[in-house]
């Protein structure tokens, strides 16, 4: 029997093989010899922070996986986690060079500077992180690059092809994430030189992911269950709670590590992160009660995540008391945005745009209000401290990032759709992506034993959520 080969099946493995074989011929160089400038405590903290940020990716997978229909749990989780593989290879190959190579007009890094990590292991420390090796700085930044496309999963869950999402990760990382990282965090990036401040990724990570989520939801259009207004019960709320805990824990490295050292600024960013998360969780939950709902686990978890999104751009620039307002106010705005979205035809499955997109936007603007040199002498005073010019700089940078992220992401989704249908068939959507895309199931059924000694194996019907029972007499 002849085997038919499809170029779309061959291409991913072929490209990986080419990269792997090419890596054999990269010349090894010794580590940077002059270690006197390094600080052991800073290295230890940054190693921990890097690991904490990585932990956020499986945490995100649990967070998203617990909120979708049980027939799509695995497919949703793997789309976040697989970014750890795809982006790691891209980052070593060319991504780090595009983001942090020598600037080409303030728009992008020179792709040849660190091609296949050339010179990274033996290079001088990054200018803004002088007490840690360049390799450690590069891997800390890698963790940010990994989680960003993983955030977009929530908006297109339950209907996007797995292979299409792999291609999205590649194109988004190279065409959206690396330019934004260069603009914002490279000393020669044009947003950096403009005077815009983003401490840990409000624009680079959250706004870019939020705008990509909006673009993806528009291109993929509505799920059948959304059109029919069918209620989808979360598959596993404890997963959401565990995912929130892992994200909260990892965010201490996300924001605290962005100080690039074991110093007082890292402590301040650590503290503002925790306070903003707590205030936002309470704000979301209490506002739901005010609107006549019951306090919910989902509500608190969503609020806490939004609080951390909001504080990310300002974690190292604002004082701890003001982080209460930033978290509580942003959660309120995002809550209203989610309610508004529910009244429209926009099918953003897990509300990525109103949570990460809107949360990042509000957080970026509030950085322009509450930033103070008292916390960070290397920063700038904001609107509250008599400097309206900085607020308008933040606003200008925000508009640039929003337009660029949405436009490029929309083009990427459209381009992928030209290559192959980006969306699964209606039959596959009804059956569930766990089975049709991965041939796996989140749950194989639950054995229930009654007090009469009868045992029942129950399995959820994917279409209607009813229970089909097969009874048998216990011995």
């Amino acid at each position: 029997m002849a085997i038919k080969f499809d170029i779309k099946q061959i291409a991913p493995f072929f490209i990986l093989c080419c990269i792997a074989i090419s890596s054999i011929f990269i010349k090894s160089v010794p580590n940077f010899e002059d270690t006197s400038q390094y600080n052991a405590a800073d290295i230890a903290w940054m190693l921990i922070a890097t690991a904490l940020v990585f932990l956020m990716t499986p945490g995100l997978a649990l967070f998203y996986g617990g909120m979708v229909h049980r027939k799509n749990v695995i497919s949703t989780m793997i789309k976040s986690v697989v970014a750890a593989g795809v982006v790691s290879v891209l980052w070593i190959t060319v991504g780090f060079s595009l983001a942090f190579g020598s600037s080409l007009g303030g728009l992008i890094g020179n792709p040849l500077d660190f091609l296949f990590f050339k010179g990274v292991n033996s290079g001088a420390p990054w200018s803004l992180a002088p007490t840690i090796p360049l390799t450690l700085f590069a891997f800390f930044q890698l963790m940010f690059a990994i989680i960003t496309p993983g955030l977009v999963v929530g908006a297109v869950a339950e209907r996007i092809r797995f292979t299409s999402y792999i291609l999205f990760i590649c194109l988004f990382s190279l065409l959206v994430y690396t330019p934004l990282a260069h603009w914002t965090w490279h000393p020669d990036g044009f947003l950096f030189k403009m005077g815009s401040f983003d401490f840990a990724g409000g624009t680079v990570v959250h706004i870019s992911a939020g705008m990509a989520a909006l673009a993806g939801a528009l291109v993929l259009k509505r799920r059948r269950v959304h059109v029919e207004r069918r209620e989808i019960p979360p598959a596993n709320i404890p997963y959401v709670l565990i995912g929130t805990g892992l994200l909260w824990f990892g965010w201490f490295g996300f924001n605290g590590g962005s100080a690039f050292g074991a110093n007082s600024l890292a402590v301040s960013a650590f503290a503002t992160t925790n306070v903003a998360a707590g205030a936002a969780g309470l704000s979301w939950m209490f506002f739901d009660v005010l609107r006549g709902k019951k306090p919910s686990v989902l509500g608190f978890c969503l609020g806490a995540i939004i609080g951390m999104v909001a504080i990310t751009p300002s974690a190292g620039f604002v004082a701890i008391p003001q982080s209460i307002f930033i978290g509580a106010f942003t959660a309120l705005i995002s809550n209203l945005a989610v309610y508004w979205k529910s009244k429209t035809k926009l099918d953003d499955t897990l509300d990525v745009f109103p949570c990460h997109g809107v949360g990042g936007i509000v957080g970026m603007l509030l950085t322009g209000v509450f930033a103070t040199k008292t916390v960070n002498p290397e920063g700038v005073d904001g609107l509250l401290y008599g400097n309206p010019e900085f607020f308008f700089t933040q606003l200008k940078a925000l508009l640039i990032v929003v337009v660029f992220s949405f436009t490029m992401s929309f083009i990427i989704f459209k381009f992928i759709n030209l290559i192959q249908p980006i969306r699964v068939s209606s039959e596959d959507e009804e059956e569930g992506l766990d089975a049709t895309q991965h041939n796996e199931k989140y749950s194989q059924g639950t054995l229930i034993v009654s007090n009469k000694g009868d045992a029942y194996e129950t399995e959820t019907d994917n279409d209607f959520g009813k229970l089909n029972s097969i009874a048998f007499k216990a011995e």
Side-chain angles (χ1 to χ4, degrees), residues 62-63 65-67 234 236-245 297-298 301:
L62 283 165
F63 182 74
M67 288 194 286
N236 193 322
I237 292 179
Y239 273 14
V240 179
L241 188 58
I242 293 170
T244 302
V297 173
L298 281 177
C301 289

Side-chain angles (χ1 to χ4, degrees), residues 192-207:
F192 189 101
K193 295 177 77 172
M194 182 195 298
S196 173
F197 282 82
D198 180 0
F199 188 74
T203 53
V204 182
V205 177
H206 297 291
I207 295 178

Side-chain angles (χ1 to χ4, degrees), residues 216-238:
L218 291 173
V219 173
L220 270 82
K221 298 184 171 57
R222 303 166 71 188
R223 293 164 294 156
R224 181 175 172 182
V225 293
H226 191 267
V227 173
E228 297 173 357
R229 295 289 180 180
R230 278 193 258 163
E231 185 177 353
I232 303 297
N236 193 322
I237 292 179

Side-chain angles (χ1 to χ4, degrees), residues 279-463:
L282 294 175
S283 175
W284 186 292
M285 186 171 63
F286 292 163
F287 186 65
D288 276 351
V289 172
L290 188 65
R291 294 168 56 199
K293 298 181 179 181
K294 293 185 182 297
S296 69
V297 173
L298 281 177
F300 183 83
C301 289
L302 283 170
I305 297 301
I306 290 165
M308 289 182 281
V309 169
I311 200 64
T312 291
S314 62
F317 299 121
V318 301
I320 295 171
Q322 282 72 54
S323 65
I324 299 175
F325 178 85
I326 291 172
F329 179 75
T330 307
L332 176 62
I333 298 300
S334 287
N335 190 308
L336 293 172
V338 169
Y339 175 76
W340 167 81
K341 192 226 71 173
S342 69
K343 300 300 180 182
T344 70
K345 293 182 179 180
L346 178 66
D347 186 10
D348 178 346
T349 311
L350 301 180
D351 298 324
V352 178
F353 171 67
C355 292
H356 287 274
V358 173
I361 288 170
V362 175
M364 189 67 175
L365 291 176
L366 292 181
T367 303
V369 175
F370 294 111
T372 171
K373 286 186 175 181
T374 303
V375 171
N376 187 346
E378 300 298 321
V380 64
D381 287 329
L383 181 64
L384 187 66
Y385 300 93
N387 186 12
E389 182 180 349
F390 176 58
F391 176 82
F392 288 110
T393 298
Q394 292 293 91
L395 177 60
K396 184 163 61 172
L398 169 67
L399 293 174
I400 292 170
V401 171
V402 165
V403 172
F404 173 78
S405 299
F406 176 80
T407 303
M408 285 301 299
S409 299
F410 190 84
I411 292 171
I412 288 170
F413 277 114
K414 282 290 189 180
F415 172 75
I416 295 171
N417 204 33
L418 289 176
I419 298 175
Q420 69 173 14
I422 195 170
R423 183 169 173 163
V424 300
S425 66
S426 57
E427 293 78 13
D428 287 354
E429 184 182 333
E430 282 298 300
E431 185 178 349
L433 273 61
D434 287 0
T436 60
Q437 295 286 294
H438 306 285
N439 195 30
E440 294 173 320
K441 290 185 178 180
Y442 161 63
S443 176
Q444 301 296 330
T446 303
L447 188 68
I448 302 175
V449 180
S450 73
N451 56 9
K452 295 181 180 180
D454 295 331
Y456 300 88
E457 186 178 6
T458 64
E459 186 174 352
T460 299
D461 177 42
N462 284 337
D463 290 337

Side-chain angles (χ1 to χ4, degrees), residues 110-305:
N110 189 332
L112 300 179
D113 280 358
F114 303 119
L115 188 66
F116 280 96
F117 248 38
K118 179 186 67 176
V120 173
N121 220 35
S122 59
W126 185 247
S127 60
L128 302 179
T131 61
I132 63 173
L134 182 61
T135 303
L136 179 53
F137 171 80
F139 270 83
F140 179 70
Q141 293 295 338
L142 165 62
M143 302 310 159
F144 286 67
I146 286 173
I147 198 171
T148 305
L151 293 170
V152 186
V153 172
V156 296
E158 304 191 325
R159 62 199 187 277
I160 192 171
R161 292 178 186 271
F162 181 69
T163 53
S164 296
Y165 201 78
I166 293 289
L167 183 54
F168 168 79
I169 291 173
C170 296
L171 296 177
F172 177 86
S173 297
L174 296 177
L175 300 179
V176 178
Y177 183 86
T178 55
L180 287 177
H182 187 82
W183 300 355
T184 306
W185 291 330
H186 195 289
D188 293 324
F190 86 91
L191 290 183
F192 189 101
K193 295 177 77 172
M194 182 195 298
S196 173
F197 282 82
D198 180 0
F199 188 74
T203 53
V204 182
V205 177
H206 297 291
I207 295 178
S208 70
M211 300 315 299
L214 178 60
L218 291 173
V219 173
L220 270 82
K221 298 184 171 57
R222 303 166 71 188
R223 293 164 294 156
R224 181 175 172 182
V225 293
H226 191 267
V227 173
E228 297 173 357
R229 295 289 180 180
R230 278 193 258 163
E231 185 177 353
I232 303 297
N236 193 322
I237 292 179
Y239 273 14
V240 179
L241 188 58
I242 293 170
T244 302
L246 291 173
L247 286 167
W248 197 324
F249 183 59
W251 227 298
F252 292 133
F254 197 89
N255 288 351
S258 294
F260 300 122
N263 50 43
S264 59
L265 185 60
V267 174
S268 181
F270 189 108
T272 56
T273 300
N274 187 76
V275 172
L282 294 175
S283 175
W284 186 292
M285 186 171 63
F286 292 163
F287 186 65
D288 276 351
V289 172
L290 188 65
R291 294 168 56 199
K293 298 181 179 181
K294 293 185 182 297
S296 69
V297 173
L298 281 177
F300 183 83
C301 289
L302 283 170
I305 297 301

